[in-house]
Amino acid sequence: MWSYQAPLRDMQFVLEHWLQAPQAWSRSPAFEALDMALAVQVLEEAGRFSQGVLAPLNSSGDRQGCRWAAGQVSTPEGFAEAYRAYVDGGWPALACAEALGGQGLPQLLDAALQEMLYASNHAWAMYTGIAHGAYLCLKAHAAPWLQARYLPDIVSGQALPTMCLTEPQAGSDVGLLRCRAEPQADDSYRLSGSKLFISGGEHDLTANILHLVLARLPDAPPGSRGISLFLVPKLLDDGQLNGVRCDGIEHKMGIKGSATCSLVFDGARGWLIGDANRGLAAMFVMMNSARLHVGLQGLGHVEAAWQNARQYAAERVQMRAPSRPQGVPAQAADPILYHPAMRRVLLELRTTSEGMRAIGYWAAHLLDQAEHDPDPQARESAGQLAPLLTPIIKAFFTEQGFRQASNGLQVFGGYGYVAEFAIEQTLRDSRIAMIYEGSNEIQANDLLLRKVLGDDGRAFGLLLAALRTEAGQGGEYAECAGFARALGSLCDTLADVVEAIRERTRHDSEYPYRAAPDFLQLCGVTLLAMAWARAARVSRALPDDDPLRAAKLQSAGFFFDYLPSRLAQHLGAIDAACAALAFV
Amino acid sequence: MWSYQAPLRDMQFVLEHWLQAPQAWSRSPAFEALDMALAVQVLEEAGRFSQGVLAPLNSSGDRQGCRWAAGQVSTPEGFAEAYRAYVDGGWPALACAEALGGQGLPQLLDAALQEMLYASNHAWAMYTGIAHGAYLCLKAHAAPWLQARYLPDIVSGQALPTMCLTEPQAGSDVGLLRCRAEPQADDSYRLSGSKLFISGGEHDLTANILHLVLARLPDAPPGSRGISLFLVPKLLDDGQLNGVRCDGIEHKMGIKGSATCSLVFDGARGWLIGDANRGLAAMFVMMNSARLHVGLQGLGHVEAAWQNARQYAAERVQMRAPSRPQGVPAQAADPILYHPAMRRVLLELRTTSEGMRAIGYWAAHLLDQAEHDPDPQARESAGQLAPLLTPIIKAFFTEQGFRQASNGLQVFGGYGYVAEFAIEQTLRDSRIAMIYEGSNEIQANDLLLRKVLGDDGRAFGLLLAALRTEAGQGGEYAECAGFARALGSLCDTLADVVEAIRERTRHDSEYPYRAAPDFLQLCGVTLLAMAWARAARVSRALPDDDPLRAAKLQSAGFFFDYLPSRLAQHLGAIDAACAALAFV
């Protein structure tokens, strides 16, 4: 049966050795009270909640789904109770400022928390997933009175926010949205229009729901320069309903326990967040946080697939394997774990999960450094690097989430296709992450056109420098010198690729659009290469007889064996993209 | 909304130009009454049935699923009526011998029929999908009286057969099966045991169901050399139930309208098919036919994904594209069809679907040639080539079915994830085909270890010769000389790869197991290259102003642009497989 164990050991390895986070914390006044012991305590507590409360609701939530009746949404059994336990545990406040009632812990720990929530119950975690982004958005852009009124509700978890962006005719293209906001005499606005695919747009976890809504003012210019952001609560302060109606919920492929709502705003009262017609800028504060979260969903799915496939492969006995571990006697049939095709899939699952964990946490750690590092230059670099990593993490991680869930399912054979083992649910749940919060195609364009070509290569230069530093450090040790060499040569390749794309773009302005998807994949694989080169190097800090040390070297070896084939695929496709694409 | 149009134009192109089937038919006495006009008539009729009867039941069948109560299974509304229409249309008899009441048409036409059934309603077609394989198996191995008693029921469609192989502990490893058969005084047997995952093991489409069951005789040797095949009808000739009980049905990720049954045989009466302890050989007659069918499921899914994604992309308007077809004026937002990322996905969908169609039909045509070609040498070659293609078609096509269904879903954005558009159903339905009838990992081992390395390379030599012939012929025409050159050089590469694998295997007997999955992928991509090189060449037979001719050249161009990147990936992985794989 499907199960989930929080991978605390590897999380700790990433924090302590891969990121050396405790050193960074001790440098930052914001985190001076934090050390590894406290961090581990937080992770253990989050692990207990995920394993003990959320994981048992994963399959049942999928089976029951949400129910809609007369504008009300009932979430699956146990979801509301789990949310109360989440609030009682203080989890919504984890990475919020102490001045606002938060615990002031780093985003890094929040990333680990999010990974566990998504891995153990993606559907449930959809309700809480947007909260931190909304918190950041309000903190950065809302008027002081609005912050004072609503931020405490978000920090305490008393109200849950939503992100109301999509309309039937406006998905990837927010410029096409039509929702209207009429200014009122008291500085409030009345919002009218329809929103689609709103996660948690209505539910029974909290009394109030805080909708962050994109809409147009009466005199707004057309397109994306005429969009403003509003906070529209479900309940007004007098406890009355505020003209937001849930018209229905979607029947979806997966995350069935998450209510995906159609909302109708019928003169609902709201307040502007940030400047008029500058709503996208404010929304992007939320969106960037959400995109990292979505990437962590992909990580959660890979981890869940890896754990469950590994366990099944150890238990299922079929056919004699061509070889088995030393000392294991031959039998009529072996655990499928010994079969080469399964070993390869399991190693791919493991190296993808652990590699992505290091990279995902690195991005969160960069967000902490951008805000709290005492060195202004470190703050600036981190602040430039994190947004470059965001689209890679969003798109590459979610594609891996889906692909590795499918690989994990394959290990189960026919049992993988039936609901009983729930690995098919992991596959179904994982698929949405490639679509929402900006489809993976949008991420690819954002990365290549805006963040690499459109930035004079500054942020990209910082990434290359970080990769080269790692390649230089790993070269000092015999056991990982080969990995470091491969990473170093990959840096040269990547720099050449960007130059070649820049050059080709000069006489073929459509070229980068055609090359973007494989360029993003190439960057994702490169980040995994950095993850494994560094993991191999820093595993030296572990005791010689620690099995994790051997496992890290073994996994790095596997990853680098297959790296050239992955690079060749994407480099070849970036080259193939030079040819025009027909209109079909 | 999801829809399906039988791709009659492309089917006709494959039959008439790619395969030049009418020439082959006119050479064979078995098909002398068949010409292209009659073939087109059959395809049109099959298209009408698929589009008009099955496609409308695809989504509703998925929503309703099957119901089990007290051993009885109800299929979704309309399934039984559709089956009656199928029988009335004479479709079960299509490729059966005239002497047995069949229509004596080639397997090639049956393959086209199957593609349409699977594309329009995979779940429904599961009930009929095994019938032709069972027909072949009985015809080849059953005693005359057993053939006389049961073949007419299969040919007429009055009874539907099943394939009862899997048991809880015996999936890929049939050697582990425990079902027992006790010989009786009257030459019948009593079967006892449990079977799992039996498609159509119980249903309401036909009164009788003919179970083909693998079981062990009392004195049978252990393992796969002690397995015999039996025919066990649901109803005996006196109309009484024959001790076969359906214990329950599976709740699955997809093909929900197909009843996947647990069966308990409780002293059920059966008759031996073929020799005692040689059941696997008899079963493999059925299995090889079934594996080609499963490959055609993959083709059906790619085709359905291509059609639906193409249509949605033409209708959905989002954002301004960086370029648009000549003469189309710029607008605030373009059909997403114009966006480069979508063009690439759509071209991949189209080239995969049409390329796989040519190869899948080729395999069916080879089966016809192996049986009916007047030239004994042609019969022998075709008989050697078809089994080599089978595992490639089964594994490569089904993986593409899943991958391209996912690509198609992505085109729909958020709408792809909701049930309303049913593309998510195509994705869910497609996933099983990578698992059943021998998992794709099993196919990879079958291809490389048994059919390439284990055969002294004779069948593989025939494949290379066919590829080289095509490369030679295409070289004569300027517009496709580049494709032919690429195919020719790919032949050299493939020959070298096989030699290198043979060499490495001499001192590392596990190596081919590690290399097998990518070797199969490499062969699949190579077959697509042949499909497109030939499609480009033979499209010269079409009138100059036929849009299909331009489309074929354009598609071939796209395919060969991206071919090197796909080859590099698999060649690199075959190389990487030289390294040992750790036990995890």
Side-chain angles (χ1 to χ4, degrees):
Chain A
M1 295 312 111
W2 193 89
S3 69
Y4 173 70
Q5 294 290 316
L8 297 174
R9 184 73 213 282
D10 196 56
M11 291 175 165
Q12 195 173 335
F13 173 77
V14 172
L15 266 56
E16 190 169 357
H17 301 295
W18 202 97
L19 290 172
Q20 303 194 307
Q23 284 88 318
W25 295 334
S26 69
R27 282 199 314 270
S28 298
F31 302 129
E32 61 188 357
L34 180 63
D35 60 9
M36 200 57 211
L38 177 57
V40 167
Q41 215 179 316
V42 171
L43 295 182
E44 282 174 351
E45 202 57 52
R48 267 191 291 273
F49 176 73
S50 307
Q51 292 163 204
V53 179
L54 293 186
L57 300 174
N58 192 43
S59 299
S60 58
D62 180 65
R63 270 197 309 278
Q64 291 172 25
C66 290
R67 273 160 306 151
W68 176 94
Q72 309 279 314
V73 169
S74 315
T75 58
E77 268 172 50
F79 272 37
E81 291 75 5
Y83 184 70
R84 277 197 290 279
Y86 181 77
V87 167
D88 291 346
W91 296 111
L94 187 79
C96 298
E98 288 179 271
L100 292 161
Q103 299 183 27
L105 288 168
Q107 308 243 10
L108 173 54
L109 289 184
D110 189 57
L113 167 67
Q114 298 302 328
E115 179 200 327
M116 292 185 255
L117 302 181
Y118 290 125
S120 58
N121 197 324
H122 180 179
W124 183 91
M126 291 297 294
Y127 295 101
T128 60
I130 219 70
H132 197 74
Y135 160 86
L136 294 173
C137 171
L138 288 179
K139 194 152 98 61
H141 291 283
W145 78 266
L146 206 58
Q147 291 196 29
R149 169 63 193 88
Y150 287 110
L151 272 181
D153 285 1
I154 294 178
V155 173
S156 69
Q158 208 173 336
L160 280 167
T162 73
M163 180 159 74
C164 297
L165 199 150
T166 300
E167 299 179 10
Q169 79 293 346
S172 296
D173 191 351
V174 290
L176 297 177
L177 67 82
R178 296 183 194 142
C179 197
R180 299 180 320 280
E182 295 281 343
Q184 308 295 307
D186 63 355
D187 278 354
S188 75
Y189 296 80
R190 292 281 181 183
L191 278 89
S192 301
S194 294
K195 293 285 179 182
L196 192 70
F197 298 154
I198 308 307
S199 296
E202 178 57 43
H203 57 72
D204 53 11
L205 304 189
T206 54
N208 206 0
I209 299 175
L210 307 177
H211 302 292
L212 271 67
V213 188
L214 288 182
R216 291 188 183 285
L217 294 168
D219 55 354
S224 59
R225 286 160 203 276
I227 295 173
S228 307
L229 182 64
F230 301 87
L231 187 151
V232 181
K234 173 183 172 183
L235 298 177
L236 294 169
D237 281 350
D238 58 7
Q240 295 296 302
L241 283 169
N242 178 26
V244 186
R245 196 173 73 238
C246 174
D247 243 13
I249 57 176
E250 304 291 340
H251 296 278
K252 309 187 299 296
M253 182 183 186
I255 54 166
K256 295 186 185 220
S258 166
T260 307
C261 302
S262 305
L263 295 183
V264 178
F265 293 83
D266 194 4
R269 205 162 166 206
W271 294 273
L272 190 66
I273 300 172
D275 297 331
N277 298 333
R278 301 269 304 141
L280 280 189
M283 182 60 107
F284 257 94
V285 172
M286 186 167 186
M287 190 83 102
N288 279 328
S289 161
R291 285 178 176 177
L292 173 57
H293 275 215
V294 173
L296 295 172
Q297 293 168 2
L299 167 57
H301 294 130
V302 180
E303 175 66 29
W306 150 240
Q307 289 187 15
N308 283 279
R310 170 67 180 69
Q311 183 171 334
Y312 184 81
E315 290 165 3
R316 177 74 171 171
V317 170
Q318 291 285 284
M319 297 191 291
R320 187 176 286 197
S323 64
R324 48 194 68 72
Q326 239 180 347
V328 174
Q331 298 190 329
D334 288 305
I336 59 172
L337 193 66
Y338 297 166
H339 289 280
M342 296 295 107
R343 273 146 63 199
R344 176 152 165 212
V345 165
L346 291 171
L347 282 163
E348 193 177 325
L349 280 158
R350 175 181 203 151
T351 51
T352 307
S353 177
E354 296 180 6
M356 279 171 34
R357 178 169 299 117
I359 299 303
Y361 290 11
W362 181 32
H365 190 50
L366 286 170
L367 293 177
D368 291 325
Q369 291 183 292
E371 198 175 346
H372 297 297
D373 200 290
D375 172 7
Q377 213 181 329
R379 283 204 300 277
E380 197 197 333
S381 298
Q384 290 183 310
L385 207 41
L388 179 72
L389 296 185
T390 304
I392 309 175
I393 288 173
K394 195 281 176 183
F396 183 77
F397 281 28
T398 59
E399 187 174 325
Q400 289 297 326
F402 177 67
R403 183 183 300 211
Q404 303 304 337
S406 177
N407 277 337
L409 188 153
Q410 190 74 8
V411 171
F412 285 76
Y415 290 101
Y417 198 66
V418 300
E420 201 179 339
F421 283 79
I423 184 80
E424 61 90 27
Q425 182 192 343
T426 304
L427 180 58
R428 286 186 289 106
D429 287 353
S430 72
R431 187 60 183 82
I432 185 58
M434 294 166 67
I435 298 170
Y436 61 21
E437 300 301 347
S439 75
N440 285 6
E441 291 73 22
I442 301 264
Q443 306 298 327
N445 290 346
D446 178 49
L447 173 67
L448 181 55
L449 282 114
R450 227 167 65 90
K451 291 185 173 158
V452 173
L453 300 180
D455 171 60
D456 280 340
R458 178 144 166 66
F460 191 73
L462 287 169
L463 176 61
L464 274 183
L467 295 166
R468 288 208 160 102
T469 302
E470 180 52 50
Q473 288 180 296
E476 295 168 29
Y477 309 103
E479 61 196 0
C480 46
F483 309 147
R485 259 198 313 278
L487 181 62
S489 117
L490 178 47
C491 290
D492 298 339
T493 304
L494 203 55
D496 291 348
V497 164
V498 169
E499 262 329 289
I501 292 177
R502 215 183 275 283
E503 185 54 39
R504 284 168 185 169
T505 301
R506 284 203 189 96
H507 49 89
D508 177 1
S509 61
E510 204 201 64
Y511 174 66
Y513 291 91
R514 300 194 301 267
D518 276 284
F519 179 75
L520 187 143
Q521 292 296 318
L522 182 67
C523 290
V525 175
T526 302
L527 288 175
L528 287 188
M530 178 190 176
W532 280 108
R534 183 179 294 189
R537 175 172 64 83
V538 302
S539 73
R540 297 172 53 85
L542 300 171
D544 276 351
D545 59 349
D546 186 338
L548 187 63
R549 184 169 170 193
K552 288 290 178 189
L553 283 171
Q554 190 185 70
S555 298
F558 171 81
F559 178 86
F560 281 98
D561 283 341
Y562 282 87
L563 178 64
S565 117
R566 298 173 79 170
L567 298 177
Q569 173 191 3
H570 300 303
L571 290 168
I574 289 170
D575 213 50
C578 289
L581 282 170
F583 293 93
V584 292
Chain B
M1 295 312 113
W2 193 89
S3 69
Y4 173 70
Q5 294 290 317
L8 298 174
R9 185 74 213 282
D10 196 56
M11 290 175 165
Q12 194 172 335
F13 173 78
V14 172
L15 265 57
E16 191 169 357
H17 301 295
W18 202 97
L19 289 172
Q20 304 194 306
Q23 283 89 318
W25 296 334
S26 69
R27 282 199 313 270
S28 297
F31 302 128
E32 62 188 357
L34 180 64
D35 60 10
M36 200 56 211
L38 176 57
V40 167
Q41 214 179 316
V42 172
L43 295 182
E44 283 174 351
E45 201 56 51
R48 267 191 290 275
F49 176 73
S50 307
Q51 292 163 203
V53 179
L54 293 187
L57 300 174
N58 192 42
S59 299
S60 58
D62 179 65
R63 270 198 309 278
Q64 292 172 25
C66 290
R67 274 160 305 151
W68 176 94
Q72 308 279 315
V73 169
S74 314
T75 58
E77 269 172 49
F79 271 39
E81 291 76 5
Y83 183 71
R84 276 197 291 278
Y86 181 77
V87 168
D88 291 346
W91 296 112
L94 188 79
C96 298
E98 289 179 89
L100 292 161
Q103 299 182 26
L105 289 168
Q107 308 242 7
L108 174 54
L109 289 184
D110 190 57
L113 167 67
Q114 299 301 329
E115 179 200 326
M116 292 186 254
L117 302 181
Y118 290 125
S120 58
N121 197 324
H122 180 178
W124 183 90
M126 290 298 293
Y127 294 102
T128 60
I130 219 71
H132 196 74
Y135 160 85
L136 294 173
C137 171
L138 287 180
K139 194 153 97 61
H141 291 283
W145 78 266
L146 206 57
Q147 292 195 29
R149 169 61 193 88
Y150 287 111
L151 273 181
D153 285 0
I154 295 179
V155 173
S156 69
Q158 208 173 335
L160 280 167
T162 71
M163 179 159 73
C164 298
L165 198 151
T166 300
E167 299 179 11
Q169 79 293 346
S172 296
D173 191 352
V174 289
L176 298 177
L177 69 80
R178 294 183 196 143
C179 197
R180 297 181 321 280
E182 295 281 341
Q184 307 295 307
D186 63 355
D187 278 355
S188 73
Y189 295 81
R190 292 281 180 183
L191 278 89
S192 301
S194 294
K195 293 286 178 180
L196 192 71
F197 298 154
I198 307 307
S199 296
E202 178 57 42
H203 56 71
D204 53 11
L205 304 189
T206 53
N208 206 0
I209 299 174
L210 307 177
H211 303 293
L212 271 66
V213 187
L214 289 181
R216 291 187 183 284
L217 294 169
D219 56 353
S224 58
R225 287 160 202 276
I227 295 173
S228 308
L229 182 64
F230 300 87
L231 187 152
V232 182
K234 173 183 171 183
L235 299 177
L236 294 169
D237 283 348
D238 57 7
Q240 295 297 302
L241 283 169
N242 178 24
V244 185
R245 196 173 73 236
C246 174
D247 242 13
I249 57 176
E250 303 293 338
H251 297 278
K252 308 185 299 295
M253 181 183 186
I255 54 166
K256 295 185 186 224
S258 166
T260 308
C261 302
S262 305
L263 295 183
V264 178
F265 293 82
D266 196 4
R269 204 164 166 204
W271 294 273
L272 190 65
I273 301 174
D275 297 331
N277 298 332
R278 301 269 305 142
L280 280 188
M283 180 60 107
F284 257 94
V285 172
M286 186 167 185
M287 190 85 103
N288 279 329
S289 161
R291 286 179 175 176
L292 173 57
H293 275 216
V294 173
L296 295 171
Q297 293 168 3
L299 168 56
H301 295 129
V302 180
E303 175 66 29
W306 150 242
Q307 289 187 15
N308 283 279
R310 170 67 180 70
Q311 183 170 335
Y312 184 81
E315 289 165 5
R316 178 73 171 173
V317 169
Q318 292 284 284
M319 297 190 290
R320 188 174 285 194
S323 65
R324 49 194 69 71
Q326 239 181 346
V328 174
Q331 299 190 328
D334 288 305
I336 59 172
L337 194 66
Y338 297 166
H339 289 280
M342 296 296 107
R343 273 146 62 199
R344 176 151 165 213
V345 165
L346 291 170
L347 282 163
E348 193 177 325
L349 280 159
R350 176 181 202 150
T351 51
T352 307
S353 176
E354 296 179 5
M356 279 170 34
R357 178 169 300 117
I359 299 301
Y361 289 12
W362 182 33
H365 190 51
L366 286 169
L367 293 178
D368 291 325
Q369 292 183 293
E371 198 175 346
H372 298 295
D373 200 288
D375 172 7
Q377 212 182 331
R379 284 204 301 277
E380 197 197 332
S381 298
Q384 289 183 311
L385 207 40
L388 179 71
L389 296 185
T390 303
I392 308 175
I393 288 174
K394 195 283 176 183
F396 184 77
F397 281 27
T398 59
E399 187 174 325
Q400 290 297 326
F402 177 69
R403 182 182 300 209
Q404 303 304 337
S406 177
N407 277 338
L409 188 152
Q410 190 73 10
V411 171
F412 285 76
Y415 289 102
Y417 199 66
V418 300
E420 202 179 340
F421 283 80
I423 184 80
E424 61 90 26
Q425 183 193 343
T426 303
L427 180 58
R428 285 186 289 106
D429 287 353
S430 72
R431 187 60 182 84
I432 185 58
M434 295 166 66
I435 299 170
Y436 60 19
E437 300 299 348
S439 75
N440 285 5
E441 291 73 22
I442 302 265
Q443 306 299 327
N445 290 344
D446 178 50
L447 173 67
L448 181 55
L449 281 113
R450 225 166 66 92
K451 292 184 174 159
V452 174
L453 300 180
D455 171 61
D456 278 340
R458 179 147 164 62
F460 191 72
L462 288 170
L463 175 61
L464 273 183
L467 295 166
R468 287 208 160 103
T469 302
E470 180 52 51
Q473 287 180 296
E476 296 168 29
Y477 308 103
E479 60 195 0
C480 47
F483 309 147
R485 259 198 313 278
L487 181 62
S489 118
L490 178 47
C491 290
D492 298 340
T493 304
L494 203 55
D496 291 348
V497 164
V498 169
E499 262 329 290
I501 293 177
R502 216 182 274 282
E503 186 56 38
R504 284 168 184 169
T505 302
R506 282 201 191 97
H507 47 88
D508 176 1
S509 61
E510 202 201 66
Y511 173 67
Y513 292 91
R514 300 195 301 266
D518 275 283
F519 179 75
L520 187 144
Q521 292 295 319
L522 181 67
C523 291
V525 175
T526 301
L527 288 175
L528 287 187
M530 177 189 177
W532 281 108
R534 182 179 296 189
R537 174 171 65 83
V538 303
S539 73
R540 297 172 53 85
L542 300 171
D544 276 350
D545 59 348
D546 185 337
L548 187 63
R549 184 171 170 191
K552 288 290 178 189
L553 284 172
Q554 190 185 70
S555 298
F558 170 81
F559 178 86
F560 281 98
D561 283 341
Y562 282 87
L563 177 64
S565 115
R566 298 174 79 170
L567 298 177
Q569 173 191 4
H570 300 302
L571 290 168
I574 290 169
D575 214 50
C578 289
L581 283 169
F583 294 92
V584 292

